[in-house]
Structure formats: C-alpha cells, structure tokens
Amino acid sequence: MTTLAMDNYTNYIQLESIQAPSVFERVWNRSLTSTFAPSSKSLSTRIDTAISVLQSKNVTIYDRLLLEDYLANNLGVVTHLYEVPSKVAEYFGDTEMEIGMFSDPDTVEAPEMYLEIQTALSAEDATRQLSLLNREWVLSSGEADLMKINFTLKFV
C-alpha cells in the first residue's frame, strides 16, 4: 500500500478521495475515453491552443509533454504566451524562438520554463534589448505568472 502525504494542497485536485497534482489529472484523463474525461477538456484545449499559436509565430516547442504538464500546474502563464511573440518582436525584430523546460541537475528544484530568443545582434545590443524587454514589460506588469517565463538569448 502506498500513502501520499502532502503539506501544501495548492494546485491539487481530488481524485477518488486522493489529493493529486493537476498534472496527474491531465495525464490520467488522457488515458480515459472522452466519455469519462470531460473535466480536463477545457484545460487541454486552452494549453493546446496557446502552443499552436506559438508554433504559428515561429516558436519551436521543446519537450511538449513536459511543457504541457508545467502549464497545467501554472495555468496563469498560458494567458501570457499569446503576447510573447509580439513583445519579443518589438525588441528583437522577427526572430526564431524556442520554448521549453530546464532544470539544474545539481538541485532538486522543480523545472522552470524558458523562452530562448535567437538573435544576430551583438552581445551588448542583445543584452540591452533583453534588459529593456524585462524592465518595460515583464517587471512593469507586476504579473507573477509572466515572471515565471525565463527569457534567454541564443546568438546565431
């Protein structure tokens, strides 16, 4: 018999009298026929739509399942994903981007989401533009969910 003990119930849902992270509900519901899994349909649709919009705007998705699981547990981030390509274009022009998850193998911390901006700008100019993007949009918004996106640079 397995016992699951948790101190914090934030982002957890109830499944047959067991507390489970919403990511578990999403994966669990994927394995059910649509008759039995209607509750996750709107959540899945919302995440899938945001990812489709990103792909249509020249954003490469890296490790989609891991990203979907993260977004299922951080649903507030999904709203900001629609704005990301146009905001990045304001500071870097039309450029390719990659979105995915990263983690430090030397720690036990949860993975974080990144958005990598490919740029041909010099290191100084690109860093200045990234600083402006962070200062004028991310930090000035005061949105905790927007601050969960780690913008990084890739020099090409």
Side-chain angles (χ1 to χ4, degrees):
M1 181 173 168
T2 303
T3 303
L4 177 63
M6 292 174 284
D7 294 331
N8 183 354
Y9 289 94
T10 306
N11 290 329
Y12 284 74
I13 48 91
Q14 191 81 19
L15 290 175
E16 294 292 322
S17 74
I18 298 171
Q19 291 290 332
S22 59
V23 67
F24 176 77
E25 178 194 28
R26 186 168 161 76
V27 172
W28 180 72
N29 278 329
R30 277 188 196 149
S31 64
L32 298 175
T33 62
S34 60
T35 309
F36 299 108
S39 64
S40 69
K41 197 171 215 164
S42 65
L43 174 63
S44 296
T45 301
R46 203 167 155 200
I47 292 170
D48 291 341
T49 301
I51 289 174
S52 293
V53 167
L54 289 175
Q55 288 174 320
S56 73
K57 306 250 182 196
N58 218 15
V59 179
T60 303
I61 310 300
Y62 182 77
D63 198 352
R64 184 177 176 137
L65 286 178
L66 189 59
L67 180 63
E68 287 177 354
D69 291 344
Y70 176 81
L71 293 173
N73 286 311
N74 296 280
L75 201 54
V77 175
V78 174
T79 305
H80 298 292
L81 293 180
Y82 294 99
E83 300 174 277
V84 167
S86 62
K87 287 295 185 178
V88 168
E90 286 178 31
Y91 295 89
F92 291 92
D94 189 28
T95 184
E96 292 184 19
M97 293 169 270
E98 176 182 291
I99 191 168
M101 302 297 298
F102 73 91
S103 60
D104 184 350
D106 296 331
T107 66
V108 293
E109 293 180 14
E112 296 182 33
M113 186 171 66
Y114 71 88
L115 185 107
E116 183 177 78
I117 304 164
Q118 294 184 15
T119 181
L121 296 174
S122 69
E124 282 183 19
D125 290 341
T127 303
R128 186 178 320 110
Q129 290 303 99
L130 183 59
S131 180
L132 286 171
L133 171 75
N134 282 317
R135 201 172 41 244
E136 294 176 356
W137 180 46
V138 178
L139 297 174
S140 70
S141 74
E143 290 283 333
D145 290 321
L146 180 57
M147 292 180 202
K148 291 179 181 178
I149 303 172
N150 295 288
F151 292 91
T152 63
L153 297 171
K154 180 178 184 178
F155 297 94
V156 289

